[in-house]
Amino acid sequence: MPRPDSQIIDADGFRANVGIVLFNEDYQVFWAKRVGMDAWQFPQGGIRPEESVEAAMYRELHEEVGLLPEHVEIVGATRNWLRYKLPQRYIRRHLKPLCIGQKQRWYLLKLTGDESAVNLASSRRPEFDHWRWVDFSEPARNVVFFKRDVYRRALEELKPLMKVHPFAAG
């Protein structure tokens, strides 16, 4: 059975995806709870065949968080794709091509607009039903187990860039 949505899945079975680490003026990161679940994560989503990685990031930012490009500044991105495999129980073997995990490019974004612009209901099918600002170290400890290594690697690479881009005084 072919995939119902257009996704980029490479020859190794990894779905191309973007991840978003959004931080505020207190250098806390945006942490969101999946709809109807007790599962928290950063905004992320698949890259469509016709999209650049950056365009996918902006689309996902708007669909999942309600923010537009004018609300954020791109501070940096991971240099390479970071991969994780899905646990066997989550692999949908009936879909082709088979997806065994995700390869992600992570973006670090500074919130330059007001946090009141956050709107979790900006798309027809919201991904999240709650959000909060958390300490930079919390997500890698508290995301679902199979994403922890990718979160740790992404955050280690992106964290030094945060202090290089301070917020304007006043």
Side-chain angles (χ1 to χ4, degrees), residues 20-30 42 67 71-76 107-113 133-134 136 158-159 161-167:
I20 299 168
V21 179
L22 175 68
F23 70 98
N24 67 10
E25 63 187 9
D26 295 321
Y27 298 95
Q28 297 171 308
V29 292
F30 182 92
F42 288 130
L67 296 178
H71 297 123
V72 299
E73 175 187 331
I74 296 176
V75 174
Y107 281 84
L108 179 64
L109 304 179
K110 177 168 74 172
L111 180 66
T112 56
W133 295 110
V134 299
F136 196 83
L158 297 172
K159 185 174 184 173
L161 303 175
M162 287 176 77
K163 298 294 182 179
V164 174
H165 292 273
F167 285 84

Side-chain angles (χ1 to χ4, degrees), residues 145-158:
F145 71 95
F146 58 89
K147 294 182 182 181
R148 285 187 187 144
D149 186 56
V150 163
Y151 269 49
R152 181 190 53 75
R153 291 180 4 227
L155 292 170
E156 281 176 1
E157 185 175 342
L158 297 172

Side-chain angles (χ1 to χ4, degrees), residues 5-18:
D5 52 354
S6 63
Q7 299 179 13
I8 300 173
I9 299 175
D10 69 17
D12 295 322
F14 288 90
R15 176 179 174 235
N17 188 284
V18 293

